[in-house]
Amino acid sequence: SLGVSIDKHKIEGVTVYHVDPEIVNPKFAKSMFLFLHGGAYIFGGGDASVYEAIVIAHHTGMRILAVDYRMPPDHPFPAAIDDVVTVYRHLLGEGKESARLAIGGTSSGGGLALASVHKFRILDLPLPGAVYVGTPWADLSKTGDTQFTNEGLDRALVTYDGLLIAAAKLYADGLDLKHPLLSPVYGDFSGFPPTYLVTGTRDMFLSDTARTHRKLRVAGVEAELNVYEGMSHAGYITSLDTPESTQVYSELQAFLLQYLGE
């Protein structure tokens, strides 16, 4: 057992899950992690949206709020970002300090986290204290080097052609795939919160992660890039009993303690 409790409810019409560890780390007593699930913007909703949130709560001792954001085909962009903004505004309205909030997720969840922070800036909202992006889908177009060189080597994604490009177009709903709120690597990262990034050498999104890291560093942002040997896309989630998975989440805890801990 990973020792968490899960409570489903709605915040201003948006379905959310409170995922709380049995023992909250006292250094995170005033903190909360806003979690966004992966799944190419078309999968991973409903009860499945808490999977990685459970793992993060267990390893960090932090309270998690997982957002079951709306998805295509009924709700393409910008529904997902709108839902994240609704929940984030609600937390701020409840008196939560933005500096005590983290936001993040894996794959499309990581991309959505980056895009949401861009949106927070556009709306002139105070930014979170830290960001977690596990192998983020930061560019919906087939642009990064490893979307070519790791094709067929990444045992999770395998190829960009087919499911991924179809999901990207479904989510974008006719917009340019390089719009910065769809592909946040093209956005402005100045003033961005400290960011923890994870990828692997066989990950087709290695380039998305590396390009995001460079954009952050060029903008003067504290950003930590972790690359794991031989790991395909999000292998730390699919194989929880590996040293890589343990390291990803223990180092995530250390990163969050550095920027959010009391």
Side-chain angles (χ1 to χ4, degrees):
S1 170
L2 293 180
V4 302
S5 64
I6 302 171
D7 177 41
K8 177 182 178 181
H9 67 107
K10 287 186 182 288
I11 290 177
E12 297 180 30
V14 180
T15 302
V16 296
Y17 294 79
H18 280 281
V19 183
D20 293 338
E22 287 179 355
I23 301 174
V24 174
N25 185 322
K27 293 186 177 180
F28 289 139
K30 296 179 182 177
S31 299
M32 179 171 281
F33 190 115
L34 194 61
F35 175 78
L36 311 175
H37 68 82
Y41 292 111
I42 58 172
F43 302 121
D47 290 352
S49 63
V50 302
Y51 175 64
E52 192 186 7
I54 292 170
V55 179
I56 295 172
H58 169 75
H59 280 278
T60 65
M62 182 182 277
R63 295 183 183 91
I64 314 290
L65 187 64
V67 183
D68 184 14
Y69 53 85
R70 291 170 294 161
M71 295 189 290
D74 292 338
H75 303 286
F77 175 86
I81 289 183
D82 288 346
D83 287 352
V84 177
V85 169
T86 294
V87 174
Y88 188 70
R89 281 189 191 273
H90 181 85
L91 293 176
L92 297 177
E94 282 187 333
K96 294 275 193 300
E97 295 178 55
S98 62
R100 297 288 188 189
L101 297 174
I103 189 171
T106 286
S107 194
S108 55
L112 181 57
L114 294 170
S116 295
V117 176
H118 286 328
K119 184 67 172 179
F120 298 162
R121 288 191 58 199
I122 291 168
L123 296 172
D124 203 26
L125 296 172
L127 301 186
V131 179
Y132 158 55
V133 283
T135 176
W137 198 8
D139 187 349
L140 298 192
S141 69
K142 190 178 180 181
T143 299
D145 180 54
T146 56
Q147 289 173 6
F148 299 88
T149 60
N150 279 348
E151 190 168 31
L153 298 178
D154 185 331
R155 67 190 184 100
L157 296 179
V158 184
T159 180
Y160 203 82
D161 304 321
L163 175 74
L164 282 179
I165 189 61
K169 290 178 177 178
L170 191 63
Y171 178 62
D173 198 31
L175 283 179
D176 181 354
L177 293 180
K178 292 188 177 182
H179 187 295
L181 293 184
L182 289 171
S183 296
V185 72
Y186 299 107
D188 177 8
F189 285 87
S190 57
F192 222 76
T195 304
Y196 172 87
L197 307 98
V198 182
T199 185
T201 59
R202 293 197 175 198
D203 184 1
M204 278 180 58
F205 289 176
L206 169 58
S207 285
D208 277 27
T209 314
R211 291 165 64 209
T212 301
H213 178 250
R214 290 317 314 157
K215 288 290 292 277
L216 288 160
R217 295 301 300 133
V218 168
V221 177
E222 291 297 322
E224 182 181 309
L225 175 62
N226 297 268
V227 184
Y228 287 85
E229 170 69 11
M231 190 168 72
S232 293
H233 181 68
Y236 54 90
I237 294 179
T238 52
S239 302
L240 293 177
D241 58 346
T242 60
E244 290 85 353
S245 182
T246 301
Q247 289 171 33
V248 164
Y249 294 111
S250 64
E251 292 187 20
L252 173 59
Q253 181 198 41
F255 186 85
L256 294 173
L257 281 171
Q258 181 178 354
Y259 293 104
L260 270 68
E262 295 182 53

